[in-house]
Structures are given as structure tokens and as C-alpha cells.
Amino acid sequence: MLQDEIIKLKKEKDVVILAHNYQLPEVQDVADFIGDSLGLSRQAAKTPNKTILFCGVHFMAETAAIICPDKKVLIPDLGAGCSLADSITVEQLRDWKKQHPKALAVGYVNTSAEVKSELDYCCTSSNAVNVVKAIPPEQEILFLPDMFLGSYVAKMTGRKNMYIWAGECHVHAGIRSEEIHTLLDSYTNSELLVHPECSCTSQIMYDVAVGDYQGRQVQIMSTEGMMNYAKQSAGKNFVVATETGILYRMQQQNPEKTFIPASRSAVCQYMKMITLEKVHAALLDEKHEVRVSKPTADKARLAIERMLAIS
Ligand code: 13P
Ligand code: SF4
């Protein structure tokens, strides 16, 4: 079986397989670690294996390559991109910084290595609020590239001096609050878990503030935050507003609970480009290596290390 072959090959070749929560079930099943962007960066940083096979999208593998310059980082498909990471180029960021010379640049991990090399701080969905809180309140901030995560962070920190880039993830932007309302009406006892990249996040924060969700638990968190919350909550039904790949592991870890996707069409086609066949081929031929040039990696690493030190 292909799965057995992969497990044998990764041992023989001293490879660790890291997989994001949105990966296909069969890919998650062969992984050594599954998690969110922050958790996988941390795993990459401490892995003893000489090669990392990253089952996720390109910016995640690049982040691992930046953190671990002495290791070989492979991705099963180099074409696995990210619409959010594509929403800002390094030239656009340089221009933006010129317009606000006193501001610090805080960028989501969903960015290219080149963009990261122009950042002061990196952040992920699980630590964006803490990273911004660690910056003196009078300091202007450029937050990029996700506008929904940006407005969530601005709201949670009460900052008025944050400029937010107008980027979005097409998968999360497509999850509508109307769909969520309909589901919550049919599952009256359900809790709601929302990823801060969702376009409905701003709407939900408003609703929470005016009391629309009175008596109903609402959590806005990263994918791994959702995993942990689902496990420890006494709730039985959860409406989950993020990419549907997360439901496999959630259901596996909590067989007695029910997880309802906020939108069945919230599927990231980039994440799904990583198939078991491509994982096998990548291991067999030790391809496709993700490389970041030393000058870019050295600059980008500073922003990532600042983030890791805070969270
Ligand atoms: P997490 O860091 O919450 O896993 O999110 C990564 C991502 O790409 C969400 O679309
Ligand atoms: Fe990028 Fe959105 Fe896919 Fe996450 S779900 S990898 S942000 S395109």
C-alpha cells in the first residue's frame, strides 16, 4: 500500500512529514505532526531529521526553509500556492513602507519569503493579537496582507494607528455570515468556531458586541486553536467556519461530537494539490526542494524569530 511505502521511505531517508490541518485525510494519516502555521513552524525549528517534507502550501514550506537553513525542505507540489500570500508583492510592500516611513510592518505568515524579508514582525492567526500588543501603543503599524485578520486584531487591541492591507483569502472570504446564521438556527445548541481570515469575522464581532449571540459560545481562533477548543469544550455540536479539511481530524479526535462546516464549498484547492501519490513521489526522488536565498532568509528569519519569542 502507498501509505506503508511512505512510512517505510520516511524512516529510511530520515524525513519528518509535517502536514497542515487542511490536508487531505490520507495525507494527514502519514504525517508525523499535524497543526497550524505556528505549530508547524515550531516543529520545523526543533526537528532532528535532516529532511522536512512539508505537506501544506508553498509559503509554509518556505517558512520552514527560512527557520532551518541546514535542512532540506521538500514540498510534494511546487504549485501549491495561496491566494492570500499572492495579494501582496515585495514591490508593493516597499512602496507602502515608503508612504509610512515611521510605521513597523507586521505581516501574516501567509506571505512570500521576499515579503517576509521586509517585515519587522511576522505573525500567524494564533498569535497576531499578542504580536501587535507587544508593540508600543504609540507606534504606527502596517498590517498585511489579510484585511479581516487585520480588522480583528485592531478591534482586539483597540489600536487606531494600524494601516491594513486590503488582501483576502478567497476560501475564507467566501464563508458568509448568512450561511452561518441559517446553520445556527437549525443547530440551536451549537457553538461557533471562526477563523479570523473569514469575511464574516468583522460581522460576528459586531454581533457579539450587540448581543446577537447571547448565550451562544463564539470563538475566533487559528485552526489549532479550534482543535484544542473542540477537545476541551463540553459542547456537543460545533459550526466550524474555516477550510473543511480540518473536520477530519476534529471528528477523529472527538467521535462523540458533531462538527458542521459553515460552508461545504470552503475548500482550498492549493492545499488539496498535495496528494498521497505526490507525497510518495517527493519522498522517492527527494524532490521538490524549496530554497530561499541566504540574504532573503537571513532578513526574513529576524521577523519570524521575533514572533516566536513573543508567542
Ligand atoms: P492557521 O495558521 O490558523 O492554520 O491558518 C493558516 C491558513 O492558511 C488559513 O487559511
Ligand atoms: Fe491560502 Fe486561503 Fe488556502 Fe489558507 S485557505 S492556504 S489562506 S488560499
Side-chain angles (χ1 to χ4, degrees):
M1 243 176 77
L2 206 51
Q3 257 152 333
D4 298 329
E5 187 62 22
I6 289 171
I7 290 164
K8 192 169 125 247
L9 274 172
K10 71 175 180 180
K11 278 197 191 123
E12 274 171 23
K13 297 189 175 220
D14 191 24
V15 178
V16 65
I17 300 187
L18 305 183
H20 188 265
N21 284 319
Y22 298 159
Q23 287 290 288
L24 290 167
E26 58 273 27
V27 173
Q28 294 193 27
D29 288 344
V30 294
D32 297 290
F33 298 100
I34 308 165
D36 63 4
S37 311
L38 180 64
L40 295 177
S41 304
R42 288 193 184 286
Q43 279 302 336
K46 65 179 185 205
T47 186
N49 305 76
K50 70 177 194 331
T51 304
I52 297 170
L53 178 58
F54 211 112
C55 296
V57 292
H58 193 265
F59 77 81
M60 296 180 178
E62 263 189 345
T63 307
I66 293 165
I67 297 174
C68 315
D70 304 331
K71 297 199 188 290
K72 194 172 185 181
V73 178
L74 307 174
I75 188 165
D77 190 326
L78 280 166
C82 169
S83 58
L84 181 54
D86 286 346
S87 67
I88 188 162
T89 63
V90 71
E91 291 78 19
Q92 286 173 315
L93 175 54
R94 286 187 189 127
D95 281 351
W96 203 30
K97 282 169 64 169
K98 269 187 209 144
Q99 289 162 32
H100 303 278
K102 291 196 185 120
L104 288 183
V106 179
Y108 196 31
V109 69
N110 296 43
T111 44
S112 68
E114 278 204 303
V115 166
K116 283 193 185 75
S117 74
E118 289 286 335
L119 298 176
D120 296 292
Y121 287 88
C122 191
C123 69
T124 74
S125 54
S126 65
N127 62 20
V129 172
N130 285 345
V131 168
V132 168
K133 273 187 184 161
I135 298 172
E138 65 284 359
Q139 173 68 57
E140 282 186 349
I141 292 178
L142 302 180
F143 190 94
L144 64 121
D146 190 78
M147 60 179 160
F148 302 114
L149 178 65
S151 56
Y152 169 68
V153 171
K155 174 106 179 173
M156 297 307 285
T157 57
R159 282 187 100 105
K160 302 277 179 281
N161 54 356
M162 251 173 80
Y163 299 93
I164 301 170
W165 189 258
E168 64 175 26
C169 152
H170 71 294
V171 179
H172 286 87
I175 301 176
R176 304 266 160 225
S177 40
E178 303 78 56
E179 289 181 84
I180 295 180
H181 279 289
T182 312
L183 282 170
L184 293 178
D185 286 345
S186 25
Y187 294 89
T188 42
N189 292 323
S190 57
E191 296 192 36
L192 174 59
L193 308 180
V194 183
H195 196 279
E197 280 174 31
C198 287
S199 62
C200 62
T201 311
S202 330
Q203 181 59 35
I204 281 168
M205 282 189 306
Y206 176 75
D207 287 350
V208 171
V210 299
D212 257 15
Y213 286 92
Q214 253 175 11
R216 188 180 302 264
Q217 290 289 325
V218 184
Q219 312 295 330
I220 300 178
M221 45 185 35
S222 77
T223 57
E224 200 57 21
M226 290 182 183
M227 292 297 309
N228 296 334
Y229 184 83
K231 211 188 282 175
Q232 58 83 37
S233 166
K236 289 277 171 262
N237 297 325
F238 301 82
V239 172
V240 184
T242 191
E243 212 269 355
T244 57
I246 197 171
L247 298 171
Y248 172 65
R249 193 166 157 235
M250 265 182 179
Q251 199 63 73
Q252 222 181 15
Q253 289 191 357
N254 308 281
E256 73 296 353
K257 299 181 180 177
T258 305
F259 300 97
I260 306 114
S263 166
R264 289 192 188 276
S265 54
V267 177
C268 174
Q269 67 269 45
Y270 302 114
M271 285 281 178
K272 278 19 179 197
M273 286 169 81
I274 311 299
T275 60
L276 210 54
E277 287 71 22
K278 289 182 197 170
V279 172
H280 179 251
L283 266 174
L284 201 60
D285 299 336
E286 298 196 35
K287 63 178 183 186
H288 305 275
E289 189 166 357
V290 176
R291 287 206 182 102
V292 180
S293 76
K294 187 168 164 18
T296 303
D298 287 347
K299 280 169 74 188
R301 198 175 305 111
L302 289 176
I304 297 170
E305 280 169 354
R306 278 190 206 119
M307 164 185 86
L308 293 175
I310 291 169
S311 48

